Amino acid sequence: MSTIAWWHCFSGIAGDMAFASLVDAGADLETIVGQLQSLPVPGWTIEAEAVTRGGVAATHLDVRISDTAAVRNHADIVNIIEGADLPARARTRALATFAHLAEVEGRIHRVPPERVHFHEVGGIDAILDVVGTCLALELLGVDEVRSSPIAQGMGMVRSAHGLLPNPAPATVELLRGAPTYGTDVALELTTPTGAALVSTLAGGFGSLPAMEITASGFGAGTRDLDGRPNALQVVIGTAASSGEERGGQEVALIEANLDDATGEILAHTVARLLEAGAHDAWLTPVLGKKGRPAHVVSVLADPVLVGPLRELLLAESGSIGARSQTLVRWPAARRTASVEVDGHPVRVKLSSGRIKAEFDDTARVGALLGIPAREVARRAEEAAHRGQSA
């Protein structure tokens, strides 16, 4: 059954708070630090401290670094993460988080994502917070992340670019499509790193999902606040599901309604979503408001990719909003083999009771041989049925 982690962001979310909340919930910090030491970035330590914030017992992580001057771009951080010995899902989550950051920062500064220079979020402490959070999720066996609506402060915040409005522009853009609300607290409750983590990793937003609770914890912010605990709560549990749902694969369905997009834009958007890792993407014609012809763009994806795919869908389609829900699917087991048709390789998909030739291959070989693609498909499928796979 699926394990869910739900962040309760009543005082916002920061990278160190997300990391600390999972440590407080039972993720072993010593194990995580051992894994983090494989990152090719020296000169840091992490210590856990038991604290209280507004009367709530919490864990605060004290991350100390010796190098605070380096400014890294997206490629630098990708190389750091890919150069470390990390569990596959933790690496995927961390890379997706920084890819989302690069896309948003590029949009804000009007430069390509690969040319973005990270300042605060490129520091060693931010890298440790993101990768440490992803490692903690993996240690706790978390399959899906959810979140409450996210609190924001007000006033101004200081950054590498000088004073900025609070919430910062990057935070606002990172949380596009996510539920968020303001408070009268004159402090940056949600940081760009925290916003990147929750917007990338969360497969849905709302109240505590139906679950059998197995653990919980609080990650503390650095200072005390008047009137509220400066902490992030995490609740971890096993998703409540029927017997029929067991054994299925949880997926996220992301959708947007479009009534003013051209056919070229719609086709391009679907292609880009598939290139970015979606399980599937498709268009459904509908009648929209005022009787206008419209389309629904639907994307089926792993929950860890909700943030990047949602941003890609909004950017490519021009939609002003998207929605998502969590579903369960039961994909049939299948494998890919290769057969030969008149000396040319053709891929075929093999599943229980069905053999299907890859159309792109049949079209290519058909053009080379001067015969219809359907004839190539017939020969390839017959060859696969006879067990002549290469």
Side-chain angles (χ1 to χ4, degrees), residues 333-337 348-352 354-356 384-385 389:
R334 69 179 185 182
R335 63 185 180 89
T336 300
V348 291
K349 296 173 184 174
L350 309 173
S351 59
S352 178
R354 188 179 185 196
I355 299 173
K356 184 73 166 60
H385 186 72
S389 59

Side-chain angles (χ1 to χ4, degrees), residues 58-80:
T59 292
H60 177 255
L61 292 182
D62 183 14
V63 180
R64 299 185 181 182
I65 59 175
S66 58
D67 177 14
T68 60
V71 176
R72 297 175 175 86
N73 61 28
H74 183 222
D76 294 330
I77 293 178
V78 169
N79 289 335
I80 288 171

Side-chain angles (χ1 to χ4, degrees), residues 257-261 266 284-296:
N257 290 11
L258 300 171
D259 64 2
D260 59 354
L266 291 170
T284 306
V286 296
L287 275 180
K289 56 183 178 292
K290 301 180 182 179
R292 297 173 182 167
H295 289 85
V296 178

Side-chain angles (χ1 to χ4, degrees), residues 205-375:
F205 295 87
S207 57
L208 180 70
M211 66 166 74
E212 181 181 332
I213 296 173
T214 57
S216 65
F218 287 89
T222 302
R223 65 180 76 181
D224 284 303
L225 301 177
D226 291 333
R228 70 172 64 213
N230 184 16
L232 171 70
Q233 183 183 28
V234 69
V235 181
I236 298 173
T238 302
S241 63
S242 67
E244 181 186 3
E245 290 175 333
R246 295 175 187 174
Q249 176 191 12
E250 286 204 351
V251 292
L253 176 65
I254 314 162
E255 293 184 319
N257 290 11
L258 300 171
D259 64 2
D260 59 354
T262 66
E264 294 92 341
I265 290 297
L266 291 170
H268 175 71
T269 299
V270 169
R272 289 282 287 114
L273 291 164
L274 292 171
E275 290 169 2
H279 294 316
D280 201 358
W282 64 93
L283 300 170
T284 306
V286 296
L287 275 180
K289 56 183 178 292
K290 301 180 182 179
R292 297 173 182 167
H295 289 85
V296 178
V297 184
S298 301
V299 189
L300 203 64
D302 189 295
V304 74
L305 294 177
V306 166
L309 290 177
R310 182 181 63 238
E311 289 298 319
L312 181 60
L313 172 58
L314 295 175
E316 293 289 358
S317 70
S319 175
I320 59 174
R323 57 190 177 272
S324 72
Q325 58 180 307
T326 301
L327 305 175
V328 179
R329 73 170 187 169
W330 295 266
R334 69 179 185 182
R335 63 185 180 89
T336 300
S338 179
V339 298
E340 286 193 355
V341 174
D342 286 1
H344 299 280
V346 177
R347 289 168 296 168
V348 291
K349 296 173 184 174
L350 309 173
S351 59
S352 178
R354 188 179 185 196
I355 299 173
K356 184 73 166 60
E358 188 70 48
F359 180 78
D360 289 348
D361 287 4
T362 64
R364 173 181 53 80
V365 173
L368 291 172
L369 298 178
I371 60 176
R374 64 178 182 275
E375 174 63 17

